[in-house]
Amino acid sequence: MATLSFNTTRMRTPSLPRISRPSSFTKPIKTHLSSSSSSQTLSKRHRFVSRSLPETKEETLIIKQEEETEDDDPTSELSYLDPETDAESIKEWELDFCSRPILDSRGKKIWELVVCDASLSLQVTKYFPNNVINSITLKDAIVSITQDLGVPLPEKIRFFRSQMQTIITKACKELAIKEVPSKRCLSLFLWLQERYDTVYTRHPGFQKGSLPLLSLDNPFPMNLPENLFGEKWAFVQLPYSAVREEISDFDEKFVFGATLDLDLLGIDVDENTLIPGLSVASSRAKPLAAWMNGLEVCSIEADSSKGCLILAVGISTRYVYATYKKTPVTTDEAEAWESAKKASGGLHFLAIQDDLDSDDCVGFWLLIDLPPPPV
């Protein structure tokens, strides 16, 4: 287990009200939160590329000229593998297969397949007419990527559109790939935003104001399954420097949990900025963390209007993670936690412990609220 020293960062601030009674998941809870005046913006770090790196000055000049040509042609497709990356090491892909706000010569929306890995070492785009959208087309496209770039079939493919689940699942099963419905496709989210800004809007068939054909779901939250219940919870916080330290050797410290590429996300906050989190205590912390590990945890929301916490997992599953009695005090605490999350660009975390006063953490999930891509 990893030591997070939560005691030193569960700060109390006179200006923020505190709930005085500790309790279980179904009763009022004890919360501790200190707000930070530091703020940050979530800015993309541009790591979207169109070809391998040149080896000579002559190649540099040729590639620069080609890039200028390609940059002026938003209809071109992309097939890129970082030459410094071991192709065999890319075991998980992020994938989107959806229409774009672009019309073809028939006046029909163009569809696009976008594939990358979490580090953006792999980047592929392919356009398709709307009359060939099926699992066979997708399966053949996945195979062609492996053949064209010399990469193996991935072990997992993450995707975030529930409406495409049937097609993607069928294509993956025929290739013995595990499909993972998940909004933890953050590299893909960022890339789609970048493509919207720099490619789609410049396409001759672009339709300004066109709404996404397949919008993201945000369903009413369900009751939490019994196996996911903790016993107590508290709002906690860690300095940004401590968060970075924890994820620097994440695989060695944690058996359960998930991290984020903060450099890719472009997180730019002061090292002392306090990142808000939720600590959950349970006498069965390891089994609880193991169950959570298979859920693709995306984010946590403090809904002060309903007096509850919302846990978002997978693509569109939302659970009422915990409830508390609504009072002016508890409402202020929940709103302060959400404000701290916004001040850190949506960055927050979930920690599972044996006891709230323990320095040890069994599972740790680094989470972020990102707006959905505009397509």
Side-chain angles (χ1 to χ4, degrees):
M1 293 188 295
T3 299
L4 292 186
S5 300
F6 279 106
N7 289 336
T8 61
T9 55
R10 288 165 57 188
M11 301 177 184
R12 298 171 173 82
T13 306
S15 60
L16 284 175
R18 302 184 299 279
I19 301 171
S20 59
R21 302 187 303 275
S23 60
S24 69
F25 260 41
T26 56
K27 299 177 183 177
I29 50 87
K30 186 175 183 179
T31 57
H32 309 279
L33 180 65
S34 166
S35 64
S36 170
S37 59
S38 300
S39 62
Q40 57 100 195
T41 57
L42 183 64
S43 57
K44 297 198 302 290
R45 179 180 176 185
H46 292 284
R47 289 166 58 177
F48 310 105
V49 293
S50 59
R51 55 174 48 78
S52 60
L53 298 176
E55 295 182 357
T56 67
K57 292 182 178 179
E58 290 76 10
E59 289 182 9
T60 301
L61 179 60
I62 293 173
I63 287 177
K64 183 176 180 181
Q65 292 172 343
E66 290 177 349
E67 282 180 341
E68 290 174 351
T69 301
E70 278 200 10
D71 285 346
D72 291 334
D73 182 13
T75 65
S76 62
E77 297 179 337
L78 173 63
S79 182
Y80 171 81
L81 176 66
D82 186 342
E84 297 182 359
T85 298
D86 178 9
E88 297 293 329
S89 68
I90 301 177
K91 301 183 182 299
E92 298 183 7
W93 292 4
E94 298 177 9
L95 179 150
D96 186 40
F97 192 32
C98 188
S99 67
R100 301 299 183 229
I102 299 170
L103 300 184
D104 60 17
S105 58
R106 303 171 301 141
K108 303 296 183 180
K109 276 193 172 183
I110 292 175
W111 282 61
E112 184 186 42
L113 173 65
V114 175
V115 171
C116 65
D117 70 323
S119 68
L120 293 172
S121 298
L122 172 70
Q123 299 177 37
V124 178
T125 67
K126 292 179 180 290
Y127 288 122
F128 295 91
N130 71 333
N131 58 358
V132 297
I133 305 306
N134 54 52
S135 62
I136 296 175
T137 297
L138 179 57
K139 182 191 71 172
D140 291 345
I142 291 172
V143 171
S144 72
I145 291 173
T146 65
Q147 294 173 343
D148 294 344
L149 293 177
V151 297
L153 286 172
E155 296 175 0
K156 297 180 181 179
I157 288 183
R158 282 184 171 81
F159 63 96
F160 63 88
R161 296 190 199 271
S162 59
Q163 300 93 334
M164 296 302 296
Q165 186 159 358
T166 299
I167 288 178
I168 295 175
T169 296
K170 187 174 182 181
C172 287
K173 286 190 180 301
E174 292 184 10
L175 296 172
I177 300 170
K178 180 177 176 57
E179 76 283 359
V180 182
S182 174
K183 286 184 180 177
R184 290 187 69 92
C185 302
L186 302 182
S187 297
L188 183 59
F189 272 36
L190 293 178
W191 192 16
L192 287 173
Q193 177 66 62
E194 189 268 352
R195 285 186 63 75
Y196 181 85
D197 295 337
T198 64
V199 178
Y200 307 146
T201 56
R202 295 175 49 250
H203 194 286
F206 176 69
Q207 299 296 297
K208 186 177 181 180
S210 177
L211 298 177
L213 178 63
L214 304 178
S215 59
L216 299 190
D217 298 328
N218 194 34
F220 192 79
M222 304 181 297
N223 291 332
L224 187 70
E226 288 188 6
N227 60 306
L228 299 181
F229 269 87
E231 294 158 11
K232 294 183 180 180
W233 60 269
F235 286 135
V236 295
Q237 50 197 352
L238 282 173
Y240 181 63
S241 57
V243 171
R244 291 193 67 94
E245 182 179 349
E246 290 305 320
I247 67 174
S248 64
D249 51 356
F250 185 87
D251 293 337
E252 298 177 8
K253 292 182 177 180
F254 299 102
V255 176
F256 308 114
T259 185
L260 300 173
D261 187 338
L262 297 178
D263 292 331
L264 176 66
L265 291 169
I267 300 294
D268 183 22
V269 298
D270 185 87
E271 292 293 292
N272 296 320
T273 297
L274 295 172
I275 306 301
L278 185 73
S279 178
V280 175
S282 173
S283 57
R284 40 185 284 280
K286 284 187 177 179
L288 175 59
W291 278 106
M292 293 290 290
N293 212 45
L295 291 181
E296 291 290 311
V297 179
C298 301
S299 65
I300 296 171
E301 173 191 352
D303 188 341
S304 58
S305 66
K306 295 182 174 62
C308 66
L309 301 182
I310 305 298
L311 175 70
V313 303
I315 292 181
S316 57
T317 301
R318 301 171 77 228
Y319 293 121
V320 178
Y321 197 36
T323 60
Y324 57 87
K325 183 179 179 179
K326 282 183 62 178
T327 68
V329 173
T330 59
T331 297
D332 285 349
E333 283 285 344
E335 291 177 350
W337 191 82
E338 279 294 324
S339 294
K341 188 169 63 169
K342 289 181 180 179
S344 60
L347 198 63
H348 57 296
F349 63 88
L350 168 66
I352 294 181
Q353 299 177 276
D354 293 301
D355 186 273
L356 290 181
D357 292 322
S358 171
D359 286 344
D360 293 325
C361 180
V362 177
F364 185 86
W365 287 260
L366 189 57
L367 312 171
I368 192 167
D369 287 341
L370 275 186
V375 291

